[in-house]
Each structure stands twice: as structure tokens, then as C-alpha cells.
Amino acid sequence: MTRRSAHLADRRSVLRATGGLAVLPTAGCLGGGGADDGADGGGTGTDGGTDDGDDALPDDGDDVEYAVERVAEGFEDPWGLAFLPGDGRLLVTERPGRLSLVDPGSGTVESVAGAPDVFAAGQGGLLDVAVHPDYPDDRRVYLTYSAAAEDSPADGSGATTHVGAGRLDPPALSGFEAVRVAEPFRDTDLHFGSRATFGPDGALFVTVGDRRDTEFGPDHVSQDPSNELGATLRLTPDGDAHPDNPFADDPDASDAVYSYGHRNPQAMAVRPETGAVWQCEHGEEDGDEINVVERGGNYGWPIASEACRYGTDDPLAPGHDERGDVVAPVHYWPCGSGGFPPSGAVFYDGDAFPAWRGDLFAGTLAAQYLGRFTVEGAGAAEADVTERDPLLDDREWRMRAIAVEPSTGHLYVAVDDPDAPVVRIVPA
């Protein structure tokens, strides 16, 4: 039995004994899962290539007791979660193209009309949701989604990631329109990204995947800031390129690009202590990363990576520390580790679990658990990230999206499945 298998078996025994309430024991960092939607595997996360075991900083949140409650059920591949400020209800996107409004108290699910037509194939469809920071004074709700060229205001063939906005007047989203189209279009249904979040200055950050470009060299789309694939976009609330973007005055680059060299970022969150934007992205096979996003930063894909080539134990590229022209991740899962295919992340700042304040929570897909990371320091070069014991690792759930309920501090998780629940983690 592997270390991870033994640990999970022990945790399941604890869960049975406590009737489903998890008492998290102190243990070393555990990872797992293949890149994207690959096969499960075990592995140890690493911070800059070092183990997070005996030298890890003490964990004050390792003995928190929690229970899991089902809020609502019957969602088809839910992808994004966002609470409405001052309202308390929860917006939920489903990848086939549905948008719903959930009452957390009663579990009532109300369909919201007015969502866009989407390209719901492969990894595409209706993806993330974000609410304007001035809601309800500004009632705009933003959706990221994949759309085919015939359903897009831009020219092209194939499909690409879109950002759209409409006014939410429940039960309808009115006046919805695309405000940004990440070009170019590609004839593939893979690697759309895509997360959306507002930064502390009111700018809208959106991640776009590399659309599974396999030109693994300097000509890869992610290494070319003249296009908007494999990049983080920084937009105004109207969808225009932010005027302070790093390439705003470069005629050979897209003025919407804030950072580039990304593969497929499916998690993004703002760290309250610093206002910095953090992302988690998928590696090829293993090589999953947690990054602090810096203005104009090149994050290396695919000329620098910690991943293997699919189906091998061969490194795909030199590591980030072997190049001086890329930004290294603050935490990664190296080739051969089993990886941490991520989706959805949030920094915990609620009142329900004081011991977890400041921790980063990120969902993992193939490894089927909710990761918790303690963070010390700031910035891409100084942050010290340690993965702690996993949550919900007895449930066999793919974790797709995470949100914190403002009024209670409860953690909400959308499970990725054709017939899925949205659940919440509450104090035991």
C-alpha cells in the first residue's frame, strides 16, 4: 500500500467513527492526480523542488472539525460559483449552458434566462461566473464561455474563450453580450481556461488556455503575446483592455494581455493580504503549478515546465529554475509526482474557520480532493506555500469550483459530475 493509500484508508476510518465529521490529523503534504482529466496517481507536492515534509512550517489549522452538507443537487457538470453581494443567493453555471440561482437556506434552484449560446464540447461550454464588485448598484454579471465562430461577434473558424456581461434582474439576465473574444479561434475543444475574478482595483482578470497547442517550442501560442491564448487578460468592466496593461503601447502585442506563458489555468483567486492575483494551472502530465501573477510575466509554458511528456517519465522542457527569463511557480507537482490537476480556488477569509484564515483552497479533479495550502511571504519569489492534509478525500468527488459564503464563512464546493451536488463545509 502506498503512503497515500494508507493515509486515505486511515482517514476513512476516522470519518466512519465520527459519523462523517472529519478531524484532520497532522501529516506530510500529499498530492495526487494526473494533468487535466487524466488518471489518478499519488504524489508529493513541492515548493521550488523541495519536499514539504519535516521542514514545513507548523500548521495551526490541522485539527479543525467540519461537516459536509448538501445544498442543492442535480446539476450537470457545474463549473462556476459566485455569491450575490447583499443578496445571499448563489449563482451556479453548468457547462452545457445553464445558469441557475440557488438559495443556500432552502436549497431552491431557480433557472436564470438569458445565458449565451455556448460551444459545449470537450472541455468547452459555459464556464466561470463573476459579479461586478459594485453589485447591486451595478447589476452586471460576467460569464466566461466557449463559443463557436458562428455564435461570436468576432471572425474566425472553430471556437474560443469569450467573456460576456448582462444585467441580472432575477430570474433573467438581460442585455447579455460578448465584451471580449480571445483570439484566435482554434478547431479544438480543449484548453479554454477559464476563470474570471475582479482585482482590488476593479479590473477584471480572465484566464485563457492554450487550446492544446502541441508546438512545444518558442513558437507556441503561449509564448506569443500578440495573441490572447495561454494568457491572463486584464480588462475594464466594459471588456476593454486595461489602459495600464504591460503591452498597451506595443504594436506587436495584444493590449489585453497581462501575463503569458500559461497552459490551462482553471483556478484564480485574489489574496486579501496582498491584493495579488494567484492562479493554479494544469501541466502536461504532472507539472501542475500555483503561480503569483505578475504584470508582464512570462510563466514559461512550454519552454520551461516541471511536467512530463504524456505517457512517459521524460521531462517536457527544462525546469523554470534553468531559465532566467521566466517566472517560476511558487508551488508545483514535478514530473513523476502524480500531479494536482486544479480547478477552482479561493483564499479563505471567513469567520466560520478562524484557523484557516489566509489559507488557499484549491480543488483537484482526477485526484478527487479539496487541497488546503498555508502561505507565508508574498510575491512570486518570496511566497512559501505548503500543502496540508486534504479535505473531502473520502468522497470520490472531482472538485470543480469553490466559494466562501460572505455571511457565514462556509466553504461551498461544486462537484464535477453529470448529476452533481453543490455542497458546503460547515463547523462540526
Side-chain angles (χ1 to χ4, degrees):
M1 181 179 291
T2 66
R3 178 184 177 212
R4 177 170 172 78
S5 299
H7 175 74
L8 295 185
D10 180 68
R11 282 180 53 80
R12 290 189 179 109
S13 297
V14 171
L15 286 163
R16 283 194 296 269
T18 57
L21 305 184
V23 181
L24 301 185
T26 302
C29 157
L30 297 174
D36 291 317
D37 294 343
D40 256 335
T44 304
T46 171
D47 179 16
T50 60
D51 190 90
D52 286 336
D54 296 338
D55 296 331
L57 296 171
D59 180 15
D60 294 333
D62 64 349
D63 58 353
V64 173
E65 296 185 358
Y66 65 87
V68 180
E69 299 176 347
R70 291 187 177 236
V71 178
E73 299 180 302
F75 298 100
E76 184 176 359
D77 297 318
W79 218 95
L81 300 175
F83 280 96
L84 292 177
D87 180 294
R89 287 178 292 179
L90 177 69
L91 286 164
V92 181
T93 63
E94 297 171 73
R95 199 168 54 78
R98 288 183 291 274
L99 178 65
S100 298
L101 198 53
V102 177
D103 184 322
S106 66
T108 302
V109 179
E110 184 177 26
S111 179
V112 178
D117 293 331
V118 301
F119 174 75
Q123 296 175 358
L126 184 57
L127 303 175
D128 208 12
V129 55
V131 180
H132 194 284
D134 291 335
Y135 187 94
D137 293 332
D138 189 323
R139 302 189 68 87
R140 279 180 290 180
V141 166
Y142 296 78
L143 300 173
T144 67
Y145 58 101
S146 60
E150 56 266 27
D151 297 319
S152 173
D155 295 328
S157 62
T160 194
T161 303
H162 290 59
V163 185
R167 176 184 169 88
L168 181 63
D169 292 301
L173 192 63
S174 62
F176 187 89
E177 62 179 358
V179 297
R180 193 79 194 185
V181 179
E183 297 190 75
F185 287 76
R186 286 290 177 97
D187 289 317
T188 172
D189 59 9
L190 301 175
H191 294 196
F192 293 97
S194 164
R195 290 293 169 187
T197 190
F198 280 93
D201 63 351
L204 177 62
F205 291 84
V206 176
T207 68
V208 182
D210 71 350
R211 303 308 316 288
R212 192 65 180 109
D213 184 349
T214 55
E215 181 63 44
F216 294 152
D219 294 331
H220 190 276
V221 294
S222 296
Q223 286 299 308
D224 179 7
S226 70
N227 74 84
E228 296 173 357
L229 307 183
T232 307
L233 310 183
R234 185 185 185 217
L235 309 172
T236 70
D238 294 329
D240 299 321
H242 195 283
D244 189 39
N245 278 350
F247 304 108
D249 298 324
D250 186 345
D252 297 323
S254 168
D255 56 359
V257 170
Y258 186 76
S259 66
Y260 63 106
H262 299 287
R263 183 174 180 270
N264 195 23
Q266 290 193 2
M268 182 162 56
V270 174
R271 188 180 179 195
E273 292 90 339
T274 65
V277 175
W278 286 50
Q279 289 178 3
C280 309
E281 69 176 83
H282 292 242
E284 181 80 354
E285 181 165 314
D286 307 337
D288 307 304
E289 301 174 4
I290 301 177
N291 289 302
V292 180
V293 181
E294 296 183 339
R295 183 180 184 273
N298 177 359
Y299 286 78
W301 177 252
I303 60 173
S305 176
E306 316 305 326
C308 313
R309 291 187 178 273
Y310 271 133
T312 76
D313 294 326
D314 300 328
L316 185 141
H320 288 79
D321 60 358
E322 298 179 52
R323 299 188 62 111
D325 56 348
V326 298
V327 183
V330 295
H331 193 88
Y332 63 84
W333 288 261
C335 175
S337 68
F340 183 94
S343 187
V346 69
F347 279 95
Y348 185 75
D349 60 355
D351 294 329
F353 300 102
W356 288 348
R357 286 197 192 110
D359 292 355
L360 175 68
F361 286 83
T364 181
L365 297 169
Q368 299 181 336
Y369 67 89
L370 180 60
R372 182 175 69 88
F373 304 81
T374 54
V375 181
E376 300 290 336
E382 297 81 21
D384 183 7
V385 178
T386 302
E387 185 175 9
R388 302 300 184 174
D389 278 357
L391 283 72
L392 307 182
D393 54 345
D394 64 312
R395 305 286 172 142
E396 299 184 347
W397 285 341
R398 290 162 53 89
M399 312 293 172
R400 177 58 79 179
I402 313 166
V404 177
E405 186 174 21
S407 62
T408 64
H410 297 157
L411 270 169
Y412 280 62
V413 178
V415 177
D416 181 38
D417 191 77
D419 184 8
V422 170
V423 303
R424 62 182 161 228
I425 298 173
V426 303

